[in-house]
Amino acid sequence: MQHAVGAPLPPPHGPGIGHVGRPYQAQHAGHPGPPPISPPPGQAPPPPAPGQVPPPPAQGRPQQPPAPGQAPQPGWSGTGPTPPPAGQATGHTGHTGHVQLPPGGPVPLPAPPAGSGTGGATLAVLLIGPAGAGKTTVAKLWAARRRVPTAHVSLDDVREWVRSGFADPQAGWNDHSEAQYRLARRTCGFAARNFLANGISCILDDAVFPDRPVVGLGGWKRHVGPGLLPVVLLPGLEIVLERNAARSGNRRLSDEEVARIHGRMAGWYGSGLPIIDNSTYDVETTARVLDDVLARSIASPPAW
C-alpha cells in the first residue's frame, strides 16, 4: 500500500496498540499486555488506558548499572552495593567464606608452647642453608608432621613462577636476578603473613647470606616481622656436594659454586642464630631437632 507524499501515516503497531482504535487488551482478552514504556526523564507518565492497571511508581525500584560504553542513568551513583558495616551479619551464621587478610603490622613473636617442642604454637620460621643442605625436604616434613595447620613456602619455587624471562641462578648474580629475588622474597613474606592471619603457621626456606645485605635477614624481617624465627641448616661440604650431584635442571649448581656458597654460609657461626649440623641426621631426625630448636627460640628469641 502506498501513501501520498505529505499524507499522514497509519498509526504504529507498537506495544499496547493493535488495530486502529482497539487497545491490546481488547484484542487479547485475559492477557495483561506488555510492560509500559518509561517516559523520558523530566516528563510525567501518560495516563493509563481504560481498563489498564497503572504501573507502580518508579520510586523504590532498584536501578541497574549502565552497560559498558553507555552513559549512566539519571540517579545512578556509579557505585555498587554498599557492604555491611564491620561486624554486621551478612545473612549467614558462622563462617562467611571471606579470608582474613594479613594485618598491616609485622608478625609478632609467638607465645611459648605449653607442651614439648613447638606444640600448637602458630609461628613463622625461616630455614636458612646452602644449596644441598636439605632445607626444602626438612621444611616440608616438619610442616607435615605438626599437630596444627602449617604451610611451607620455598623461595626457589616462588622464583620459578616466572616462566618467560626467568633469571636462572646458573647465569650468575646480576640486576635482573636480584630484582626477581626481591620480588619473590616480598611475595613469600606476604604469603607468610596471610597464612598467620588465618591461624596457619608457615615455614619458609632460603639461602640467606650473612655477608650480603641484599639477600640478608633484613629483608625477611621487613616483609614478615620480628616474630620470624630463623634457623640455619649447615651440614658439611662433602654432604652438600653429594646432594647437589643428585639434582637436575637449574637447581643443580657447579661444585665450585656450591663450595663458594657453603664457605660464605660459615659466617653464620658466631651470629647468635641457632645452627643445626645435619651431616649425620636423616630427614626425620633433622625435623625433630628443628622442632626442639624452635621451641627454645620461642622461649628465648635470638637477637638478629
Side-chain angles (χ1 to χ4, degrees):
M1 179 178 179
Q2 296 181 349
H3 301 278
V5 177
L9 295 177
H13 294 273
I17 301 177
H19 296 290
V20 179
R22 298 183 63 196
Y24 185 93
Q25 288 79 357
Q27 302 175 51
H28 305 277
H31 196 282
I37 301 177
S38 301
Q43 296 186 10
Q52 183 178 2
V53 179
Q59 184 178 3
R61 290 182 180 178
Q63 293 181 327
Q64 299 296 327
Q70 293 185 357
Q73 300 176 6
W76 171 253
S77 62
T79 60
T82 304
Q88 180 175 331
T90 58
H92 300 278
T93 58
H95 298 289
T96 62
H98 295 287
V99 177
Q100 179 71 30
L101 292 177
V107 173
L109 285 169
S116 61
T118 56
T122 303
L123 65 163
V125 180
L126 176 62
L127 195 57
I128 303 168
K135 302 183 301 296
T136 301
T137 306
V138 172
K140 284 182 177 179
L141 182 64
W142 179 81
R145 296 294 176 85
R146 297 198 74 214
R147 301 196 303 267
V148 294
T150 304
H152 166 244
V153 180
S154 174
L155 183 130
D156 285 342
D157 291 344
V158 175
R159 287 186 67 186
E160 291 179 357
W161 289 356
V162 179
R163 309 307 298 172
S164 177
F166 171 66
D168 195 327
Q170 291 184 347
W173 188 263
N174 50 43
D175 292 343
H176 191 43
S177 56
E178 180 178 322
Q180 290 192 7
Y181 172 83
R182 288 175 178 270
L183 177 60
R185 183 177 60 186
R186 186 165 63 247
T187 303
C188 291
F190 178 83
R193 298 200 327 270
N194 201 4
F195 280 123
L196 266 70
N198 290 275
I200 300 177
S201 297
C202 184
I203 180 170
L204 310 121
D205 69 78
D206 181 24
V208 182
F209 295 99
D211 59 346
R212 190 176 180 86
V214 173
V215 290
L217 282 178
W220 282 110
K221 177 182 280 189
R222 183 170 63 254
H223 293 306
V224 180
L228 182 66
L229 300 174
V231 178
V232 181
L233 205 61
L234 191 56
L237 176 59
E238 66 281 358
I239 300 298
V240 297
L241 287 172
E242 180 182 346
R243 292 173 179 169
N244 179 71
R247 292 181 167 186
S248 60
N250 57 20
R251 295 291 180 95
R252 180 173 180 176
L253 305 177
S254 65
D255 289 351
E256 293 77 11
E257 182 69 11
V258 172
R260 186 182 66 84
I261 293 175
H262 186 274
R264 293 175 61 185
M265 289 288 174
W268 287 118
Y269 285 103
S271 65
L273 297 186
I275 299 176
I276 300 175
D277 183 354
N278 59 327
S279 299
T280 59
Y281 297 159
D282 58 11
V283 179
E284 291 269 358
T285 304
T286 307
R288 189 164 57 250
V289 172
L290 172 63
D291 198 68
D292 293 338
V293 168
L294 288 171
R296 293 196 295 270
S297 294
I298 295 174
S300 180
W304 59 288

